[in-house]
Amino acid sequence: MTKEELFTTFHNIGLVPVVKIDDAEKAVPLAKALIDGGIPCAEITFRTDAAEEAIKRVTKAYPEMLVGAGTVINPKLAEKAVAAGAKFIVSAGFNRETVEWCLSHNIPVVPGVCTPSEIEMGLSMGLTTLKFFPAEASGGVAMLKDFSGPFSQVKFMTTGGININNLQDYAKASNVLAIGGSWMVKADLINDEKWDEITRLCKEARIKLQGFTLAHVGINLPDADAAAGAADEFAKLGMEIKNGNSSIFMNKEIEVMKKNYLGKNGHLAFRCNDIERAIYFLKDKGFTVNEETVKKDAKGKITVCYLNEEIGGFAIHLVK
Ligand code: 3PG
């Protein structure tokens, strides 16, 4: 996997469990719990003596899983982690020597930063993906928003104080590549072998990350006259008519189509935080993208698309 593919996968999964494991025996069942929860990814931190062996076991059992090492505080530890099978190196702070070692060995490295000067250190070494740590204590999403001005090319893996309750705020930030944290894999859950609970927490986080909310309902009508007639009826309920080329919006909630468009009855538009990530998520659930409906912005990011599968006679429309 190239560095670019690795970072794209991070973005698509969107979540990086930060693991502190005391007993390497528990590493493989933990990895299975994460995979079952839809998060085939983990940062196993060198905060315990079991980290190295845990990385070895997980990478052997699940070679496809994105397993990296965290809390890598020097090049020696990076070397040890990579020898054990770590596919990427993460650190809480910025250590030039560790970064240099990783770059010279072509190992993806994500050092921690929380100030503009540290970001510039990263940029000067060619890094555009950095870990924002400790995220909450350093200003959280407000800080990320400020970083996006001068450092628009930088994407962040954010960790530190993030959990199910504030995850959405980070998911909405345009410069967040992925959100990391220990809340899904608390040490006591691992020690007590609460694998089902870990899987549940992963699933809960994954769905929350997408931020699906109903944006509008699209109703298919055969022609413009029928659409105008329906619009007049909705207007009787006090809805405001906004006439467009191919449809009429009633407030923002109902779109009356001027001809039969996708979906037997029409479409349901869902807003989500990131369409590429939502597509990756929905693929697991059996949905596929109708490629002809994909629209992108100047940066190549998808802004709208439809899925091929209908629900209850309605096409599913994803919007940002
Ligand atoms: C890390 O190293 O990324 C943090 O320890 C994770 O932070 P959290 O425990 O607050 O999630």
Side-chain angles (χ1 to χ4, degrees), residues 114-280:
C114 68
T115 66
S117 303
E118 290 159 344
I119 295 173
E120 289 191 10
M121 270 165 68
L123 286 174
S124 71
M125 297 180 81
L127 302 179
T128 50
T129 302
L130 299 164
K131 166 161 163 151
F132 177 39
F133 176 80
E136 277 293 282
S138 324
V141 284
M143 190 76 153
L144 281 168
K145 192 159 178 287
D146 285 348
F147 286 159
S148 71
F151 305 118
S152 59
Q153 70 276 55
V154 179
K155 295 273 182 244
F156 296 94
M157 276 169 62
T158 60
T159 67
I162 305 175
N163 55 51
I164 195 69
N165 300 316
N166 56 6
L167 156 71
Q168 271 280 348
D169 302 337
Y170 287 87
K172 287 189 182 124
S174 60
N175 52 353
V176 170
L177 180 81
I179 298 165
S182 61
W183 83 95
M184 296 161 274
V185 285
K186 286 270 171 242
D188 55 345
L189 291 175
I190 300 173
N191 289 335
D192 298 344
E193 304 189 3
K194 295 264 171 57
W195 311 130
D196 290 348
E197 177 61 4
I198 289 174
T199 297
R200 188 193 69 75
L201 290 167
C202 290
K203 287 185 178 170
E204 177 188 54
R206 265 196 104 200
I207 190 83
K208 190 101 182 216
L209 179 71
Q210 312 308 326
F212 291 124
T213 50
L214 186 64
H216 64 260
V217 177
I219 303 172
N220 281 343
L221 283 168
D223 53 45
D225 283 347
D232 287 342
E233 295 300 311
F234 284 125
K236 290 179 189 168
L237 302 175
M239 298 187 97
E240 197 187 321
I241 296 181
K242 200 163 159 241
N243 206 354
N245 288 334
S246 52
S247 67
I248 306 168
F249 260 95
M250 308 302 307
N251 294 349
K252 286 185 176 147
E253 293 89 24
I254 297 179
E255 182 179 18
V256 184
M257 308 305 291
K258 295 184 180 176
K259 65 173 192 217
N260 285 319
Y261 190 49
L262 297 175
K264 184 163 139 283
N265 304 317
H267 63 265
L268 300 174
F270 284 90
R271 219 173 272 117
C272 57
N273 292 326
D274 185 292
I275 298 191
E276 278 86 356
R277 186 181 284 151
I279 291 170
Y280 178 90

